[in-house]
């Protein structure tokens, strides 16, 4: 409720009945609500129980004098306006009362008009005081709100992962989050008012200036990708937009800088992958096409038997093409996450033996001896059987492919710290140290005289590494050129999917 809606409250403390009642009458007619007290003690009681707008206090009363009443009430309600009523003889005391906080005094005798005038004046002053007080409280509240708003805004800006800063029309920094400082490696904190030309790289400044230009043409956002550090070390995406006030005038510009390095690297990897695939597909297709042209032109005569070698080669090349396509499909399914796995307890010796049986023919063809050694009480592992079979098949078929005639293959499996270690060793061609590091990359094949005639896609090891990684396992190789290689896979016994 505001003061206008309620009646002004007047307290009259006077021991003189006539005076008391006279004043009550006058002010009731004036629209006041009047409370009277017939002596000082009662005045203090009435006056302290609630706040009055104006209090009229007689200076001279038999029990408590007016000055004491004033002091008590003033202590409780400092904003009430106090007026002393005094006989002419008490003027000095009345003056003293004003020093103790009375608004004024009014000497007896007075006319109703006089007292109405004085009290109304006091009421006006009181209203002003209350308004000022409310205004001040309101301002303090607003200030508090603004400061809370500011700190909230700062918290939000600081927690944005991108670099974000605001510049004004004079090209000065108004605001910058810590990410901005980190990105540009500022030696000290950016201060509001710093010129962007002194602290930001020219690429960023140009973007902001371009945004200033474009905004005039009605374009609201300019973006620019910038390789901050060469060779895909750091690529950022910068966006600048105008900051406007409620009326639409531009106050400055907000720029955000997002690190898009990972995305760019992925993009580059994908393009590289596509170009490698195209390259790998091209060679067998070109070879088969060459053979077919020879046959089509009957270059070796009309007899089909004369083309036997070409047909064999074509079938071989086509088979390697099918293998490649299958590997590629496998990779893409895995990357798209569309492979379904069924985790079961798998006994390693089972899978090794089954695979060996399948590859037995090839081993016999080349006179390769096979041996396997399994630690006693070897635990089963939680894996998808097909995936694990793929790992073992790949390692065994490589051990055959890159072996020597009449060579040997040994498989050993043992248990250590909750993991199974499965090692596949061969006494084949082996490989140099520098090749060992690159082996698990897609399409990586070691190229030398010994490997030239061995068919392959260069994808097998990268696929099995992907599988093993997905079980939180790992794969490693130890090898010596000309001596042979050992590939060791370590897989946790209990299934724990990759985070
Ligand atoms: P692929 O055998 O189809 O070429 P992989 O990814 O299985 O593809 O192997 C990549 C390369 O690693 C092979 O081309 C080969 O040069 C080398 N490599 C793999 N296994 C062996 C091994 N047991 N001995 C020697 N080299 C190997």
């Amino acid at each position: 409720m505001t003061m206008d809606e309620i009646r002004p409250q007047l307290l009259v403390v006077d021991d003189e009945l006539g005076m008391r009642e006279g004043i009550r009458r006058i002010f009731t007619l004036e629209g006041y609500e009047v409370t009277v007290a017939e002596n000082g003690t009662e005045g203090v009681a009435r006056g302290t129980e609630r706040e009055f707008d104006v209090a009229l206090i007689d200076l001279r009363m038999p029990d408590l004098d007016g000055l004491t009443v004033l002091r008590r009430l003033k202590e409780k309600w400092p904003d009430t306006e106090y007026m002393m009523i005094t006989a002419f003889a008490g003027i000095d005391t009345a003056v003293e009362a004003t020093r103790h906080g009375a608004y004024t005094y009014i000497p007896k005798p007075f006319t109703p008009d006089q007292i109405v005038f004085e009290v109304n004046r006091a009421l006006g002053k009181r209203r002003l005081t209350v308004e000022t007080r409310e205004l001040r409280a309101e301002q303090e509240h607003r200030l508090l709100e603004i400061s809370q708003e500011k700190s909230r805004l700062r918290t939000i800006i600081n927690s944005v992962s991108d670099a974000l800063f605001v510049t004004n029309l004079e090209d000065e920094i108004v605001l910058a989050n810590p990410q901005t400082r980190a990105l540009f490696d500022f030696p000290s904190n950016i201060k509001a008012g710093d010129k962007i030309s002194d602290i930001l790289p020219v690429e960023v400044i140009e973007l902001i200036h371009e945004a200033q230009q474009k905004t005039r043409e009605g374009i609201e956002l300019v973006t620019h990708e910038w390789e901050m550090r060469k060779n895909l070390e750091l690529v950022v995406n910068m966006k600048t937009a105008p900051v406007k006030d409620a009326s639409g005038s531009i106050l400055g510009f907000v720029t955000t800088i997002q690190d898009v390095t990972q995305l760019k690297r992925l993009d580059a990897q994908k393009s590289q992958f596509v170009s490698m695939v195209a390259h790998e597909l091209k060679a067998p297709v070109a070879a088969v096409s060459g053979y077919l042209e020879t046959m089509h032109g009957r270059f070796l005569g009309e007899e089909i038997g004369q083309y036997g070698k070409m047909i064999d080669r074509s079938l071989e090349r086509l088979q390697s093409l099918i293998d490649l396509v299958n590997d590629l499909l496998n990779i893409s399914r895995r990357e798209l996450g569309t492979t379904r796995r069924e985790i079961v307890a798998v006994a390693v010796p089972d899978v090794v033996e089954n695979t060996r049986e399948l590859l037995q023919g090839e081993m016999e063809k080349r006179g390769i001896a096979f041996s396997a050694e399994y630690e006693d009480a070897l635990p089963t592992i939680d894996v998808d059987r097909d995936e694990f079979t793929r790992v073992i098949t790949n390692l065994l078929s490589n051990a055959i492919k890159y072996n020597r005639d009449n060579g040997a293959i040994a498989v050993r499996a043992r248990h250590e710290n909750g993991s199974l270690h499965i090692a596949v060793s061969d006494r084949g061609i082996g490989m140099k140290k520098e090749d060992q590091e690159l082996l698990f990359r897609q399409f990586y094949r070691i190229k030398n005289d010994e490997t030239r005639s061995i068919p392959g896609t260069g994808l097998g090891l990268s696929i099995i590494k992907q599988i093993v990684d997905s079980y939180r396992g790992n794969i490693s190789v130890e090898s010596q050129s000309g001596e042979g290689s050992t590939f060791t896979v370590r897989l946790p016994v209990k299934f724990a999917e990759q985070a």
Side-chain angles (χ1 to χ4, degrees), residues 375-394:
E375 193 183 75
D376 287 343
L378 195 69
T380 55
I381 44 171
D382 293 346
V383 283
D384 176 275
R385 182 178 276 273
D386 288 347
E387 282 186 335
F388 183 62
T389 304
R390 192 176 180 96
V391 172
I392 297 298
T393 308
N394 229 296

Side-chain angles (χ1 to χ4, degrees), residues 110-142:
F110 44 76
T111 66
D113 283 352
Q114 269 175 329
I115 191 146
V116 165
F117 176 80
E118 288 296 346
V119 169
N120 278 344
R121 206 164 66 155
L123 181 70
K125 181 164 178 284
R126 153 84 176 166
R127 284 185 167 158
L128 219 62
T129 314
V130 171
E131 257 171 43
T132 315
R133 191 173 61 193
E134 281 174 356
L135 215 65
R136 198 182 311 130
E138 163 89 19
Q139 269 172 349
E140 275 167 14
H141 184 70
R142 280 288 305 144

